[in-house]
Amino acid sequence: MLSSSWNLSIFSSLFGILILCIPCFSEKAPYYTFARDATSAPEVVFFDYIVIGGGTSGCALAATLSQASNVLLLERGGLPYGNPNITNINGFTRNLADTSPSSPSQLFISTDGVFNHRARVLGGGSAINAGFFSRASNEYVKRMGWNPEVVNDSYEWVEEKVAFRPQINQWQSAVRNGLLEVGVRPYNGFTYEHLDGTKVGGSIFDQQGHRHTAADLLEYADPIKISVYLYATVEQIVFRTRGGKKPRAYGVRFQDSEGNSHLAFLNRGSKNEVLLSAGALGSPQMLMLSGIGPIRQLNAHEINVLVDQPMVGMGMSDNPMNAVFVPSPNPVEVSLIQVVGITGFKSYIEAASGPLELDWMRRMAHDFTRVANQTMDSFKIPSVITIPGINPHLLHSPMQAGLILEKVAGPYSTGFLELASKDPNENPVVTFNYFKDARDLQRCVHGMRTVAEVIDSTSFSNFRYPLTTSQALMNTMLTFPLNLRPKHLTASVSFEQFCIDTVMTIWHYHGGCQVGKVVDGDYKVFGVDGLRVIDGSTFIESPGTNPQATVMMLGRYMGQKILGDRLAGRRN
């Protein structure tokens, strides 16, 4: 989808120029010289590029652009470094359970009744996720119109900093062997590539269990040419309108943590731009707050209409996840996603393991609903969990357990996003319409059948209590407070109803600013100049088994393209 004017020869020339431009030094995290609290920002600043959002795409984008231009990166959260819930694999669930106002993981609940999270930290989703690192398929790259050689180089640039080969221990090995036993073949070993069958993927957790986030990509940045303001909440993109011409973005207004307002303007020059990388919730929200969106919504919130764009906020999707907790008679390692079964019916089977605290799960669910001002009175975990074949006293808290899940690829089902208010700190209202398209439901059914087969497999027998069946474990899932959706008696005998009733997020939501609908093939926003959206909100479907590698790659990829156009303009 990128313009044909940017070909491999231009990339090669740009690469040579950038090699000469790269400074003989860089700065290691946590970037004391260029990452500062926004309270220290001047009232007015000027840059060549202003990147809104220091997430998985924004960090890669800003680091790349800084090699040949002056860049401002605005992040509404703080640094990921020094927070053990972020930096250590054992803090994964605690991080998601934190509902405090300054949490790196901002809770939201979709109108579908599913708990979800939005990153609020430098590094974005890579600072709060389960860490799986896997590339998009070659077919996906082709559909997007990306240059495969530049895509490959961009992936490698990312992987050099943040991707690792995980150590596969007993639980993950049992899942891998179970997948092969039930026919998810061939075995592809360790690879970042998206290949049908079973494989071991990469992880942003190293072998010591330390997380490496997209914020680490700022080690590539020229510390002289980049400024990062933390706890900087962008309120609005500002535009200049001149008779007969399209509005042009020329700056942003942002607020620091003390409520002080600041202005960041673009330097003079036709190549300077505002680059929106605030994610699938933040980017469509920011366009609307800036006057670009459905006129009905803008008028309802008394926002001056710059461009009536009905497709902003449309096409929202979240890949549905359904899972089964498996109590283990033997100790299990702490592991997040490492092994994946990529099936022919477009469902991905993955697993995690570690001590499971049922009391903690109940408290977390009540915290979530309290924040959302809702109730889960009908979804309380029983004081004693009963699973046929297991002595209830063995199911103490914490207990040794694992999780086997399936994620629906795509998905086909889509929803929409609407503003809740004009406050940029308030989450928008999102509807994902899980399983609205029957094809997604059938994929889930196939996926859950495969999960059940893995649990019942010989390969997995050491981690399953004798006489305990996958059906019994699935029935137990119906007693857990997984979401706010009603539970039906038929869910215990119907895979379809089980999928609908126990659906959860795997945090791969996307859409809202899709290519061809809100932005063009170069990610430029229709109807205005000087503004692009470069993040997962532009995706029609989620890439591969996990999008984070591709979102980071996209930031690098588009950063090079933008600089290539800039340098080509200078030569002309």
Side-chain angles (χ1 to χ4, degrees), residues 443-522:
R443 287 178 175 180
C444 180
V445 168
H446 287 307
M448 290 311 301
R449 283 179 177 152
T450 304
V451 168
E453 290 173 358
V454 171
I455 293 171
D456 293 333
S457 69
T458 302
S459 301
F460 200 72
S461 59
N462 286 340
F463 296 101
R464 183 184 67 247
Y465 279 93
L467 306 179
T468 299
T469 65
S470 59
Q471 182 63 60
L473 295 172
M474 292 177 69
N475 290 345
T476 302
M477 292 298 293
L478 296 168
T479 69
F480 286 4
L482 305 174
N483 56 40
L484 292 172
R485 297 163 77 88
K487 303 297 184 290
H488 299 81
L489 291 175
T490 54
S492 63
V493 294
S494 163
F495 275 110
E496 287 86 352
Q497 196 64 55
F498 179 88
C499 287
I500 292 169
D501 287 3
T502 67
V503 66
M504 295 176 282
T505 185
I506 198 167
W507 307 286
H508 295 172
Y509 52 90
H510 53 279
C513 299
Q514 293 175 317
V515 171
K517 300 177 181 180
V518 176
V519 300
D520 66 14
D522 286 323

Side-chain angles (χ1 to χ4, degrees), residues 78-105:
L79 292 170
Y81 310 106
N83 182 339
N85 287 346
I86 293 176
T87 58
N88 193 300
I89 193 170
N90 294 303
F92 169 67
T93 52
R94 290 193 296 272
N95 203 12
L96 294 180
D98 183 358
T99 57
S100 64
S102 61
S103 168
S105 174

Side-chain angles (χ1 to χ4, degrees), residues 272-287:
N272 298 336
E273 295 177 294
V274 174
L275 306 168
L276 183 52
S277 298
L281 265 64
S283 289
Q285 179 187 32
M286 183 49 55
L287 288 182

Side-chain angles (χ1 to χ4, degrees), residues 193-493:
E193 300 298 332
H194 185 92
L195 303 171
D196 286 349
T198 295
K199 75 166 190 174
V200 175
S203 176
I204 61 174
F205 289 96
D206 62 28
Q207 293 203 358
Q208 288 71 49
H210 299 147
R211 183 193 294 269
H212 298 258
T213 76
D216 293 7
L217 300 176
L218 292 172
E219 292 184 355
Y220 285 121
D222 183 340
I224 305 300
K225 294 181 179 178
I226 189 170
S227 291
V228 178
Y229 287 134
L230 305 167
Y231 304 107
T233 300
V234 175
E235 299 173 297
Q236 191 178 47
I237 302 167
V238 293
F239 293 86
R240 179 181 292 112
T241 55
R242 290 178 177 171
K245 295 184 178 180
K246 289 191 292 186
R248 180 174 183 83
Y250 74 100
V252 304
R253 180 165 53 249
F254 66 96
Q255 189 177 86
D256 63 33
S257 59
E258 295 179 357
N260 301 310
S261 187
H262 306 259
L263 288 168
F265 293 121
L266 295 175
N267 288 322
R268 291 185 178 275
S270 61
K271 297 294 184 180
N272 298 336
E273 295 177 294
V274 174
L275 306 168
L276 183 52
S277 298
L281 265 64
S283 289
Q285 179 187 32
M286 183 49 55
L287 288 182
M288 291 185 199
L289 292 177
S290 303
I292 303 172
I295 191 169
R296 175 185 58 82
Q297 279 202 64
L298 302 185
N299 287 340
H301 293 280
E302 299 182 338
I303 297 171
N304 291 329
V305 179
L306 187 73
V307 178
D308 177 14
Q309 173 42 293
M311 298 309 296
V312 173
M314 299 302 292
M316 296 296 300
S317 291
D318 185 27
N319 298 80
M321 178 184 83
N322 293 81
V324 179
F325 288 110
V326 186
S328 171
N330 294 310
V332 298
E333 71 268 17
V334 174
S335 71
L336 295 177
I337 310 303
Q338 297 176 342
V339 170
V340 61
I342 300 175
T343 69
F345 48 82
K346 304 300 182 184
S347 173
Y348 306 137
I349 314 300
E350 303 172 355
S353 60
L356 173 65
E357 298 184 29
L358 296 179
D359 287 341
W360 172 84
M361 181 189 291
R362 176 166 46 223
R363 290 195 303 272
M364 181 177 71
H366 283 296
D367 284 346
F368 285 2
T369 53
R370 174 183 51 78
V371 171
N373 295 316
Q374 298 187 54
T375 179
M376 286 191 69
D377 289 342
S378 59
F379 301 113
K380 293 179 180 178
I381 297 179
S383 57
V384 177
I385 298 291
T386 302
I387 302 176
I390 303 178
N391 185 332
H393 296 293
L394 295 176
L395 298 179
H396 56 82
S397 180
M399 65 180 177
Q400 296 294 313
L403 176 78
I404 303 181
L405 64 91
E406 74 85 32
K407 163 195 168 179
V408 172
Y412 289 108
S413 303
T414 63
F416 53 91
L417 174 152
E418 297 181 314
L419 290 178
S421 73
K422 294 169 69 172
D423 183 357
N425 293 297
E426 185 174 358
N427 283 321
V429 180
V430 190
T431 301
F432 291 119
N433 285 327
Y434 297 102
F435 303 123
K436 181 179 181 180
D437 191 300
R439 291 172 291 182
D440 293 331
L441 187 57
Q442 287 310 303
R443 287 178 175 180
C444 180
V445 168
H446 287 307
M448 290 311 301
R449 283 179 177 152
T450 304
V451 168
E453 290 173 358
V454 171
I455 293 171
D456 293 333
S457 69
T458 302
S459 301
F460 200 72
S461 59
N462 286 340
F463 296 101
R464 183 184 67 247
Y465 279 93
L467 306 179
T468 299
T469 65
S470 59
Q471 182 63 60
L473 295 172
M474 292 177 69
N475 290 345
T476 302
M477 292 298 293
L478 296 168
T479 69
F480 286 4
L482 305 174
N483 56 40
L484 292 172
R485 297 163 77 88
K487 303 297 184 290
H488 299 81
L489 291 175
T490 54
S492 63
V493 294

